[in-house]
Amino acid sequence: MSDCTHDCGSCRQDCSKRDFQVAPHKDSKIKKVIGIVSGKGGVGKSLVTSLLAARINKDGFKTAILDADITGPSIPESFGVGDERAQAVEGQEALNPVITESGIQLMSMNFLLQNENDPVIWRGPVIAGAVKQFWTDVIWKDVDFMFVDMPPGTGDVPLTVFQSLPVDGIIVVSSPQQLVRVIVEKAVNMANMMNIPILGIVENMSYVKCPDCGKEITIFGKSNIDEIAKTFNIPVLARIPIQEETSRAVDAGDIESLDIPELNDAAKTVEKLLA
């Protein structure tokens, strides 16, 4: 990456020629890295990350999730592996990822805590360093697509991921509320500043379908996601409804059993990166 976060005139280096990327573990093999981002929390980034990883895994690709939300990890519970702990690789200073029932590789802060409910009370640079170690010190085995579930906003962790990992593209997750424009704009502007391709937008909680008549009810009001996407010249990849089945599966740690047809286009967009 050519972007920098400080006063380049004070460091006496030509930061336009610097490369901040770090190599993964020597035994890792990762083909494509996709960041899942949002300008604010509570819009369903972790849900979209998990659903995409599970869907693309069903399509025959090997997928993985690097859970970069260090202080609020939810990925392990969604896959029913909250009680698992990452195991050290014999003879190396490295860790193996936790493997889900369908073969998805996961690494999350919860896999390193003595108790999964222990808080992680760290400052930003330490958190960013932990994310980088998930990339360098974990042996990711023959991964076609790695999804990075990022914390909300544009702080230390997204910056570390964008600079340190070879991110092939990002997916912006939003909701139908009025402040969605701000959510999308923050994420899109950061990606553009960091020269990261934007694959598209996924709108979560788009509507609720009436179980009796099938009518789509927009409980957050009329969505303006199409206008926003047109403004930034990026596609809308999916509109995910609120469904009791989804909530029930996530709470039960059974997200791999779900089939969300609304994600078909998003999955195809990601899979084309290996075409």
Side-chain angles (χ1 to χ4, degrees), residues 8-21:
C8 298
S10 66
C11 72
R12 298 182 181 180
Q13 298 183 53
D14 183 358
C15 292
S16 66
K17 297 180 180 178
R18 293 177 65 186
D19 187 351
F20 294 92
Q21 284 191 7

Side-chain angles (χ1 to χ4, degrees), residues 94-169:
L95 295 171
N96 282 315
V98 170
I99 310 297
T100 73
E101 185 175 339
S102 68
I104 300 171
Q105 300 173 49
L106 308 178
M107 178 51 66
S108 174
M109 192 66 208
N110 271 11
F111 297 146
L112 302 177
L113 300 175
Q114 184 173 356
N115 300 299
E116 63 175 318
N117 293 324
D118 289 343
V120 179
I121 309 174
W122 294 348
R123 294 191 182 275
V126 179
I127 293 174
V131 171
K132 191 182 294 187
Q133 284 186 289
F134 284 178
W135 174 256
T136 60
D137 296 355
V138 175
I139 299 179
W140 301 96
K141 306 172 185 69
D142 296 320
V143 174
D144 292 313
F145 295 103
M146 171 181 283
F147 294 91
V148 182
D149 181 26
M150 292 209 242
T154 55
D156 285 328
V157 170
L159 181 61
T160 295
V161 170
F162 284 167
Q163 288 187 324
S164 302
L165 277 59
V167 180
D168 296 282

Side-chain angles (χ1 to χ4, degrees), residues 55-67:
R55 164 57 197 274
I56 292 174
N57 183 68
K58 289 177 182 176
D59 287 345
F61 296 95
K62 293 184 178 180
T63 60
I65 299 176
L66 190 159
D67 188 356

